[in-house]
Amino acid sequence: MPTLRSSSSRYQSSSSPSSASSPLRRAVAAGRRSVSAASSSSMSVAMPCDDGDSKRTSEGDSESLSAGEGSDFEDSLRRNGKKRAAKRPLKPTPAKLPKKRSRTVRAHGQKESEPPASDLFDAVKGAKSDMQDSGDYPLTASGPSWKKFQGSFCEFVRTLVYQCQYSLLYDGFPMDNLISLLTGLSDSQVRAFRHTSTLAAMKLMTSLVRVALQLSLHKDNNQRQYEAERNKGPGQRAPERLESLLEKRRELQEHQEEIEGMMNALFRGVFVHRYRDVLPEIRAICIEEIGSWMQSYSTSFLTDSYLKYIGWTLHDKHRDVRLKCLKALKGLYGNQDLTARLELFTSRFKDRMVSMVMDREYDVAVEAVRLLILILKSMDGVLTDADCESIYPVVYASNRALASAAGEFLYWKLFYPECETRALGGRERRRSPRPRRTFFYLLLSFFVESELHDHAAYLVDSLWDCAGPLLKDWESLTSLLLEKDQNLGDVQESTLIEILVSSVRQASEGHPPVGRVTGRKGLTPKERKIQADDKVKLTEHLIPLLPQLLAKFSADAEKVAPLLQLLNYFDLNIYCTRRLEKHLELLLQQLQEVVVKHAEPAVLEAGAHALYLLCNPEFTFFTRVDFARSQLVDLLTDRFQQELEELLQSSFLDEDEVYSLAATLKRLSAFYNAHDLTRWELYEPCYQLLRKAVDTGEVPHQVTLPALTLVYFSILWTLTHISGSDASQKQLLDLKGRMVAFCELCQSCLSDVDSEIQEQAFVLLSDLLLIFSPQMTVGGREFLRPLVFIPEATLQSELASFLMDHVFIQPGELSSGHSQEDRLQIEQLHQRRRLLAGFCKLLLYGVLEMDAASDVFKHYNKFYNDYGDIIKETLTRARQIDRSHCSRILLLSLKQLYTELLQEQGPQGLSELPAFIEMRDLARRFALSFGPQQLQNRDLVVMLHKEGIKFSLSELPPAGSSSQPPNLAFLELLSEFSPRLFHQDKQLLLSYLEKCLQRASQAPGHPWGPVTTYCHSLSPGENTAEVSPQRYPRSKKRRVEGPSRQHREDVSASQEESLQPNSIPATPALTSTAVKSGQPLGASEEMEEGSSSELAFPQGLYILGNPRSRSLSPQHFQTPLNPSGPGLGKQLTRLSLMEEDEEELEVQNDSSEDWQGSGKSSSSSEHRLDLLDSTELNMEDF
């Protein structure tokens, strides 16, 4: 862009960053200059002003501002206006003088009605004060009305320039003052002024850019007209026409220079300073507008000197600013005519744009990928293979928008070029399957060779939006799978089958795979119509081919299981409407062969579910499918009866016989899960098998596991029949007897040698106990009360013992390794989580005693990474059931851990052990679990402290011994709950602790360490989680600028003196103009003196207001009095919100130090009257 001309020098002088005046002064001076310039422009003689006068004027302005006097400020404004009027050159054109004079007269006439400068300055100061106090202004206000106001404000600026572009825009008077005003306000320290003026200035700049673009077009048209007229012959050339065109060109040139001067003034005075403003909204406005300038007026703004601002801002910390940068660049790279001028910028900032694909904000990462797609399309060879390889893994991201964008990048980089080069032209290209087969070959190659993920479903979902028609080509997919001379390997076949199933599921259901997040709530009517059509098409195509696919891959379990899942996405009514029963017969035959041939759980589960889908009584072919199911179950049952007789009669079975019996039981168990096999009466033979396994132990574990599941399903199906009809008493008792007998078998299996049998028995037993709990009678099912089963104490203890032995295992005992071992370890972790969840459900539904939850809660901190979410949810639900009982369970958990550690290590040096430190962390987590409801949990926390004190002093040392009680260190754990106490309760607990310690007559002459720690946690200085008595948080101290720094140094010096033992605390200087808590000034000073004195005597006499000492025990242990504010007991409030995290607790600890002294009373006698106002405790109980 050309630099400023002489006509625009006034913009540079008004917006120079080296000006010594303040931003507010420049802003108001700009407004005042408009009035002064209007009055002085009517004078025929200009007042001279030399450099010395201007220097003195600037000095006078600064002095008047610092003094804050309205008269000096008004004089400085008037002097500046006269100086600008004197420097403004007169227009030589006489035709324009009357217009300017008329405007000057009108402006001069309006001057009398304007308010005085002092009133204007007072109004600005008042607005500044209001903005600083509230922080709310229209641009940040929420709501539709304010959003509309923001849009109207921007439209007003655009309309202003549009209406003035042919007259007032080049007058030099209105735009000069407007730009000066916006430039001054944009440098203000008030956020509202700075934000509003920056928005107005940037929108004004955008409108000026449009005007400049129009001027450029007019100049080009004028030049063409002039050249055309000049090239005419001498007889046809019109000199008047040439002279008018030359005059028009000079006028356009002057207008363009003035517009460029205005744009330079706005850019250098506002943008250059505000694009790095501390407020992210202001930075985003600047970047958004400069992007629009580059797109609309690329000849002047699309240069490296302007592009660098966008490149630098790509590293901004705020997401909105980075997002605006990427959107601005998308507009530039999306235009093919502009990409040639972006080569240097691309080479400089390409690495940053590629790295933003991994941005922590998903919307920023999505825009980064889309920007790279534009670069890939418009600039060949810019993105290297290394750059692309860093984007490929994003197709497996959990966020669907990001994965879909990465899938589009993958499609345009790898798939689209190859498919286009191998495709035929014209009509043959549509008919030929070669391009689509090429796509699937490339897709297979990428998935198999990249080894980025194990599931192709996520890759299919990522490519669905850009390559959906290709992925819906099920004809090409099935032809590749059914070809005999194909060159596909085993892994490629499995991957191709998974791609087929994933594309069918995506077309039929329309939602992403498990674990991938999408922001959409539902499908549009058009999408639902497309989904229904696709479902019909895939069903018609795959029904004839599914039996062929099953026949070809029936020997491979990994390929058969996903093929059987295809029936989940079929429109099964087509079997009837399209007369395809013959294909149904073939499918049932292949299904029976697959079930008989395989024993893998995945294949059997898929086969049983497929047969369940076909066995719908609403289908006309239900009779045929039910007959096929009966034949299959008869076959499996007969085989099971024969093999069972051989097992019961013979004492030894070879491996083949064991495998055959286990496989048959697995098949029956899988089908019993999906189908009702009650009429085949499998309970009795399976129970006999399990009884022999428990009594003799001769039954192999691979046979026992499916037998347990079979009996479990048999009981559940019997319960289903009884619940749905009027069952007799005999049926209920028979079912209850079967259930009790099976529970006894499972209880015996808990002590089995094989761990798999133990875990299976625990899972089935926990499910049955939950089903047959008292909850089964809820909902009008009182007739099932005879089936309710309550486990005995021995069974409950065995369940708890099993949990300790199989769930809460030390991490060091687990196997560590890579690849396959890591997967096995993860599977074992999931199994343990399943066991723990089953036990917790028994606790919450009242099947087990709630006190057994202490065995779970005491491992909360140690196994937080593995089971933290389960234990936390259990703790929350337990508190909802019974808050008081839950608090006792938490205390019981700490007691159990402390007792175990005491038995292992002894009482000496207990608090220094790592295990004890872990217990303190656990106690802190328990304290955080109470949440912010301090008043609601008041009684519970006090009860917890009381019981904890009793436990710590329950065992006293022998008479004459100098050792402390063995459980005394428990007080250190109890101190973690002290921040949850009110002031009054702390004082009561100190008194209760004093009475308990007085009973220990053999106490030593010095204070015990745990008692000191606990009393310190109850002192008034430890207010980490307390609230202000006035029902609102205590106000923070305001920052004091300038001279207050010396005051703070004096305060710190006085505090250092007060920390000396023999020094008298001095009165600190106040750092806030507000008197806190409605106290007089002297009271606040006394409270701060008291807080500093507490630091001076941490274990001795505590000074709070009036010095007072109190004997706690024969050890002469001193305790502080707790001065509460007036009416503290009557004005208890809730805590501010606090998360269950140690970091939140640390933040509250830091903030509580700032609050010390602000909520203390000025009188030491008032708190003695209010201690028991709102507490429910009775001192006699202590």
Side-chain angles (χ1 to χ4, degrees), residues 992-1024:
Y992 177 69
L993 179 61
E994 177 185 1
K995 289 186 177 182
C996 294
L997 289 175
Q998 288 176 355
R999 301 172 186 172
S1001 57
Q1002 68 278 13
H1006 57 85
W1008 285 321
V1011 178
T1012 304
T1013 302
Y1014 182 63
C1015 291
H1016 181 67
S1017 69
L1018 297 179
S1019 64
E1022 300 294 326
N1023 302 343
T1024 56

Side-chain angles (χ1 to χ4, degrees), residues 95 141 286 606 629 782 796 930 948 1031 1097:
C286 295
R629 178 179 60 179
E782 190 66 26
Q796 295 187 27
F930 282 94
R1031 293 187 180 273
F1097 305 99

Side-chain angles (χ1 to χ4, degrees), residues 496-509:
L496 202 59
I497 290 175
E498 188 176 359
I499 292 174
L500 171 63
V501 177
S502 301
S503 63
V504 168
R505 184 197 59 79
Q506 192 82 15
S508 176
E509 296 183 350

Side-chain angles (χ1 to χ4, degrees), residues 696-995:
T696 62
E698 298 176 356
V699 180
H701 71 279
Q702 56 265 36
V703 176
T704 306
L705 288 174
L708 286 170
T709 309
L710 266 173
V711 176
Y712 170 75
F713 287 135
S714 175
I715 294 175
L716 293 185
W717 278 110
T718 305
L719 177 62
T720 302
H721 291 298
I722 294 177
S723 301
S725 61
D726 297 334
S728 62
Q729 191 72 13
K730 182 178 182 303
Q731 291 177 334
L732 295 176
L733 294 178
D734 290 344
L735 178 59
K736 179 69 173 295
R738 288 187 175 186
M739 190 272 297
V740 173
F742 181 67
C743 289
E744 293 176 355
L745 285 177
C746 291
Q747 184 177 357
S748 302
C749 292
L750 290 177
S751 57
D752 195 272
V753 179
D754 190 80
S755 59
E756 293 183 4
I757 295 179
Q758 293 179 352
E759 294 177 357
Q760 183 71 7
F762 181 86
V763 171
L764 299 178
L765 186 58
S766 59
D767 289 346
L768 278 180
L769 291 178
L770 186 61
I771 293 172
F772 288 89
S773 65
Q775 301 289 333
M776 72 183 310
T777 60
V778 178
R781 294 179 295 180
E782 190 66 26
F783 64 95
L784 296 178
R785 182 163 296 278
L787 296 178
V788 174
F789 176 72
I790 303 298
E792 299 179 354
T794 56
L795 179 57
Q796 295 187 27
S797 62
E798 288 190 23
L799 291 174
S801 301
F802 174 86
L803 198 72
M804 298 301 105
D805 297 337
H806 292 78
V807 175
F808 297 107
I809 306 174
Q810 295 292 339
E813 300 178 8
L814 300 177
S815 59
S816 59
H818 305 282
S819 63
Q820 191 65 28
E821 294 184 0
D822 289 340
R823 295 181 181 179
L824 179 61
Q825 191 172 4
I826 293 175
E827 291 177 0
Q828 293 175 354
L829 176 60
H830 285 307
Q831 178 65 14
R832 293 195 299 271
R833 287 174 57 87
R834 182 185 178 190
L835 299 175
L836 178 60
F839 185 82
C840 293
K841 285 190 292 185
L842 294 178
L843 293 172
L844 296 177
Y845 281 94
V847 179
L848 303 180
E849 295 292 336
M850 188 59 73
D851 290 340
S854 61
D855 295 330
V856 177
F857 294 161
K858 67 183 181 182
H859 297 94
Y860 184 27
N861 190 62
K862 190 174 184 179
F863 293 90
Y864 184 80
N865 294 331
D866 295 337
Y867 318 119
D869 54 340
I870 300 177
I871 300 177
K872 180 180 179 181
E873 184 66 19
T874 306
L875 179 57
T876 304
R877 297 293 182 88
R879 181 173 285 110
Q880 293 174 359
I881 296 172
D882 191 342
R883 295 168 47 247
S884 178
H885 195 188
C886 182
S887 302
R888 287 187 171 88
I889 294 174
L890 296 181
L891 184 63
L892 178 62
S893 302
L894 294 175
K895 290 180 180 179
Q896 291 177 354
L897 285 176
Y898 183 85
T899 305
E900 293 174 2
L901 183 63
L902 186 64
Q903 294 176 355
E904 294 178 1
Q905 303 294 336
Q908 299 298 329
L910 196 65
S911 59
E912 299 177 357
L913 297 176
F916 189 82
I917 298 176
E918 291 182 1
M919 277 192 284
R920 292 201 65 164
D921 295 338
L922 177 63
R924 187 178 299 111
R925 283 190 183 273
F926 285 166
L928 289 172
S929 67
F930 282 94
Q933 295 82 12
Q934 188 179 14
L935 184 60
Q936 182 180 1
N937 298 320
R938 179 180 185 182
D939 301 338
L940 306 179
V941 179
V942 172
M943 178 272 298
L944 189 145
H945 277 269
K946 179 181 175 182
E947 297 296 331
I949 293 173
K950 289 181 180 179
F951 174 75
S952 62
L953 300 176
S954 59
E955 298 181 10
L956 298 177
S961 175
S962 60
S963 60
Q964 64 183 18
N967 297 336
L968 194 64
F970 190 79
L971 290 176
E972 297 188 18
L973 304 179
L974 210 59
S975 62
E976 299 294 339
F977 296 89
S978 298
R980 300 293 172 181
L981 292 169
F982 285 95
H983 288 293
Q984 301 97 320
D985 301 335
K986 288 183 178 181
Q987 190 66 26
L988 291 175
L989 288 172
L990 283 173
S991 302
Y992 177 69
L993 179 61
E994 177 185 1
K995 289 186 177 182

Side-chain angles (χ1 to χ4, degrees), residues 539-580:
T539 305
E540 292 177 350
H541 176 72
L542 291 176
I543 279 180
L545 299 179
L546 183 57
Q548 302 178 29
L549 292 172
L550 291 175
K552 181 177 181 179
F553 301 105
S554 61
D556 196 336
E558 294 182 358
K559 301 172 185 176
V560 168
L563 287 175
L564 289 174
Q565 295 176 5
L566 288 174
L567 283 174
N568 297 329
Y569 317 113
F570 282 5
D571 186 2
L572 297 178
N573 290 315
I574 294 180
Y575 275 110
C576 309
T577 57
R578 306 298 169 87
R579 299 180 181 274
L580 300 176

Side-chain angles (χ1 to χ4, degrees), residues 453-466:
H453 207 274
D454 296 334
H455 301 287
Y458 297 92
L459 179 59
V460 171
D461 181 64
S462 301
L463 294 170
W464 192 258
D465 294 339
C466 59

